[in-house]
Amino acid sequence: MTDLSYDFDHLDSLMDEAGLDALLVTSKHNVRYLLGGYSFIFFSAMDAIGHGRYLPIIVYVKGDRDKTAYIANPMEKGENENSPFWVPHFYPMAWGSVDSVNQAIAHLEKVGFSTGRVGVEPSFLPSNSQDLLRDALPNSAFLDATSVLENLRAVKSPAELALLRKASEKITDSMRATIAASGAGSTKREIIERLRLEETKRGLHFEYCLLTLGSSHNRAGSAQAWANGEVLSIDSGGNLHGYIGDICRMGVLGEPDAELVDLLGEIEEIQQAAFAEVRAGAPGAAAIAAGQAALERQPNKQYTDFFGHGMGLVSHEAPFLLTNHPVAYEGRDADKPLKTGMVLSIETHMQHPTRGFIKLEDTLTVTDSGYEMFGTEGRGWNLGGTG
């Protein structure tokens, strides 16, 4: 079997807690996770094709991994020939969300599942697929399995941590190279494109860059040009085999003056206060409370915001530490103990009225004794125009 980042006993126990008998997994990130890291390249950029969309499905019956199926696109037959999937049942036949779910229904019938409590991912299940399921299994209940899959992914394996570490290091290196190579007159669009090239040549899939220059807080690309004495904030997500590196670093064109040193120092004090409370067994709320308390001590607290969140295959995933800040979800894990192998993003930003957008974002993994930071370079002022 392909080396997997989860075990089936854990999956079964999570399903027991949720009262589920079977799973129909339809999000690309969770399908990828359950398959052991595989994702079909043809649909990596867009799901739409013809009148419909690509909808890969994993079917899993609790307690019986031998009944697991993967419903795929016909072109994935070649992928399986080259590197066979671990699943016992493979159906490379679906071009859209109707034929894929019809095959999932047929497979459930084949393995003797006719009624029960089926976990689905509502945000990733098209309405035409949902209608077919309800018609085909009228005596079954369809329940939200999103939390089951989030909790399954919450603790990362050593292989996953290695990918997150590499992604973070590659993004940090890309940012430092981009800042050094950019100078007076470089526009935001030019700097973003340079970062895209730097990340790509390091083997990352570029996802986004949020960039500010000077006193502006606008992080969208534009023709605005970098000028001497101005700051630059560069916040980017790059993807390495599905795992996200998400870092923010600061640049300045010229030497940073005393005020800039102090402003970034405020950000750093908040970050370090939160870091100090990260360790296995401590509640995630402790890190959040420490960061918020440090923020309240800062001279520019009225311009500053702090938060933390889990990350991995998704930029905000378990553990969920804050409610509706900044993304709309419940901070359901805040009072639960952190576990070794969980990954956190800790970030603080200041929207200063005259000096601009100043931010640090760092990635940590929880360890037994504390934490390990990924992508540690460039956390001070990086000088532009030196490359």
Side-chain angles (χ1 to χ4, degrees), residues 75-353:
M75 290 185 287
E76 291 178 81
K77 181 179 179 181
E79 303 275 353
N80 185 59
E81 289 172 354
N82 293 339
S83 300
F85 304 126
W86 72 262
V87 292
H89 304 273
F90 174 53
Y91 304 103
M93 46 67 64
W95 281 102
S97 56
V98 170
D99 41 349
S100 61
V101 81
N102 275 331
Q103 182 59 61
I105 293 165
H107 177 73
L108 286 172
E109 293 173 350
K110 175 182 175 180
V111 300
F113 187 96
S114 59
T115 184
R117 295 162 68 88
V118 181
V120 298
E121 299 180 88
S123 294
F124 301 93
L125 185 65
S127 60
N128 56 6
S129 301
Q130 186 178 75
D131 292 343
L132 287 169
L133 284 171
R134 294 188 185 281
D135 289 344
L137 299 169
N139 297 318
S140 291
F142 295 92
L143 305 177
D144 190 341
T146 302
S147 292
V148 168
L149 295 162
E150 289 168 343
N151 292 335
L152 184 68
R153 301 195 324 266
V155 174
K156 274 58 178 178
S157 69
E160 291 179 286
L161 293 174
L163 287 173
L164 285 160
R165 182 183 296 106
K166 289 179 182 177
S168 300
E169 291 170 350
K170 289 174 182 289
I171 286 182
T172 305
D173 290 346
S174 299
M175 288 179 171
R176 296 178 73 202
T178 296
I179 293 170
S182 302
S186 295
T187 68
K188 292 177 74 176
R189 291 195 182 99
E190 289 169 346
I191 297 169
I192 291 169
E193 176 61 13
R194 185 182 297 276
L195 181 68
R196 185 188 69 80
L197 294 173
E198 293 288 350
E199 290 187 11
T200 301
K201 77 180 184 182
R202 288 170 172 80
L204 295 171
H205 175 76
F206 175 81
E207 292 195 342
Y208 63 86
C209 175
L210 305 174
L211 185 75
T212 69
L213 296 176
S215 62
S216 173
H217 303 155
N218 185 318
R219 299 206 287 169
S222 73
Q224 181 187 358
W226 202 7
N228 287 322
E230 289 186 339
V231 306
L232 168 154
S233 74
I234 189 164
D235 187 340
S236 180
N239 192 303
L240 185 64
H241 306 306
Y243 288 85
I244 297 167
D246 187 7
I247 301 289
C248 186
R249 295 291 181 257
M250 295 301 302
V252 61
L253 199 53
E255 291 293 332
D257 57 38
E259 183 182 36
L260 289 179
V261 171
D262 287 345
L263 293 176
L264 191 57
E266 291 184 38
I267 301 293
E268 176 71 340
E269 183 176 334
I270 297 166
Q271 293 287 99
Q272 292 295 336
F275 298 164
E277 299 300 324
V278 175
R279 62 185 175 277
I288 298 300
Q292 291 171 334
L295 188 158
E296 287 300 312
R297 298 191 295 267
Q298 304 310 315
N300 291 282
K301 63 183 181 182
Q302 70 269 38
Y303 308 126
T304 307
D305 196 12
F306 159 83
F307 49 93
H309 55 87
M311 60 176 291
L313 284 172
V314 179
S315 60
H316 284 246
E317 62 177 40
F320 296 99
L321 303 179
L322 284 161
T323 297
N324 296 333
H325 188 81
V327 183
Y329 49 67
E330 294 295 318
R332 65 177 196 222
D333 302 317
D335 296 324
K336 298 175 183 177
L338 296 172
K339 297 180 180 180
T340 296
M342 286 182 167
V343 176
L344 306 177
S345 174
I346 303 294
E347 48 186 303
T348 306
H349 72 260
M350 178 190 298
Q351 297 188 68
H352 194 275

